[in-house]
Amino acid sequence: MDRDGTSHINEEKAHILVVTYPIQGHINPLLQFSKRLASKGPKVTLIIPSTTIRFPANASTSLISVAYIPDGHEEGEILSVDEELKQFRAVVSRTLGDFIQEQVESKFPPTVLVYDAVMVWALDIAREQGLHGAPFFTQSCVVNAIYHLVHHGLVKIPVLGPFSLIPSAPLLEVSELPSLVTNTELYPVLMSMVIGQFSNLKGAKWILVNTFFELEEQVAFYDFS
């Protein structure tokens, strides 16, 4: 504290950016992660790429800041899943970069970008701005492991029969597997996006997974290389 009573604690507070893919199953875990992270002391800004969706008025986000950036989607616009994914990447790559640049030049410049793992290209944007990058996998370790094996060519797709993930686990029936590995023609761009989550992990500073560890300990520690 200065002699005039002004404190510099807030000015020195770490600032962490968190960006989520804008669908509920991704927003919820990253929102909860952001609030838990903020409870430890740093300033946390949750970034939601969305032109039309906003948090309801009663949503509890008091611990964090929430920022919205354009995603290029116009209300009432009808696109196929693959068209929407392509447009999302093209627009958000730019708007996220612009937002991070604004924050870097602000009073509280960020040092880390935690990004939804399906937005794999966000790591390049973070590093271009001098930030560390950390992917956050919203799906369970089992699903991550399946996609990881597909990415490295260790499992042939489409999977047409019972699937053994690790020796000590029971066989998984086709109905229990992610639909993208059993029907590869369903959404080819989405398939490429989820498998691509593992393409640049070596460039990440940390890797974060949304899981209940005691339920997935064997998978979490299994060597899939």
Side-chain angles (χ1 to χ4, degrees):
M1 182 174 291
D2 289 348
R3 292 178 182 178
D4 62 1
T6 302
S7 173
H8 288 281
I9 292 176
N10 288 337
E11 293 181 8
E12 298 171 357
K13 187 182 250 189
H15 186 188
I16 299 171
L17 303 179
V18 180
V19 61
T20 177
Y21 193 80
I23 56 176
Q24 208 63 45
H26 289 242
I27 293 174
N28 283 343
L30 278 158
L31 170 61
Q32 297 306 317
F33 170 78
S34 296
K35 292 195 290 187
R36 288 176 66 89
L37 188 61
S39 72
K40 305 300 180 182
K43 172 180 171 61
V44 177
T45 300
L46 176 64
I47 307 165
I48 304 177
S50 179
T51 305
T52 58
I53 300 172
R54 294 291 186 270
F55 272 120
N58 60 353
S60 176
T61 57
S62 58
L63 285 174
I64 64 173
S65 299
V66 178
Y68 297 91
I69 60 174
D71 64 355
H73 182 77
E74 300 296 333
E75 191 168 4
E77 183 180 24
I78 300 176
L79 297 172
S80 70
V81 172
D82 286 348
E83 288 173 336
E84 190 166 326
L85 290 172
K86 289 178 181 178
Q87 177 176 277
F88 179 86
R89 175 170 180 169
V91 174
V92 177
S93 292
R94 173 177 50 80
T95 58
L96 177 61
D98 291 343
F99 181 83
I100 293 176
Q101 181 62 45
E102 291 175 2
Q103 297 301 305
V104 167
E105 297 173 353
S106 71
K107 186 177 180 181
F108 300 105
T111 55
V112 177
L113 175 69
V114 176
Y115 60 93
D116 196 319
V118 297
M119 299 167 62
V120 63
W121 36 267
L123 177 58
D124 296 329
I125 296 172
R127 297 178 74 179
E128 287 171 3
Q129 300 286 358
L131 276 63
H132 293 303
F136 185 102
F137 288 86
T138 57
Q139 63 262 7
S140 67
C141 283
V142 169
V143 175
N144 288 330
I146 292 170
Y147 288 154
H148 177 271
L149 291 173
V150 172
H151 173 73
H152 288 285
L154 300 174
V155 169
K156 293 183 179 181
I157 54 175
V159 180
L160 302 176
F163 176 83
S164 177
L165 184 61
I166 58 177
S168 58
L171 290 176
L172 296 173
E173 298 296 331
V174 171
S175 60
E176 297 173 305
L177 299 174
S179 59
L180 291 175
V181 301
T182 60
N183 185 352
T184 56
E185 297 180 358
L186 193 59
Y187 301 116
V189 175
L190 179 58
M191 175 68 175
S192 176
M193 186 171 84
V194 298
I195 299 304
Q197 293 177 96
F198 307 93
S199 62
N200 63 355
L201 290 183
K202 290 183 179 180
K205 183 70 172 178
W206 303 278
I207 298 173
L208 307 169
V209 180
N210 180 38
T211 186
F212 193 92
F213 181 72
E214 284 75 9
L215 291 178
E216 299 198 291
E217 183 175 356
Q218 289 178 306
V219 177
F221 279 113
Y222 193 78
D223 183 3
F224 289 98
S225 60

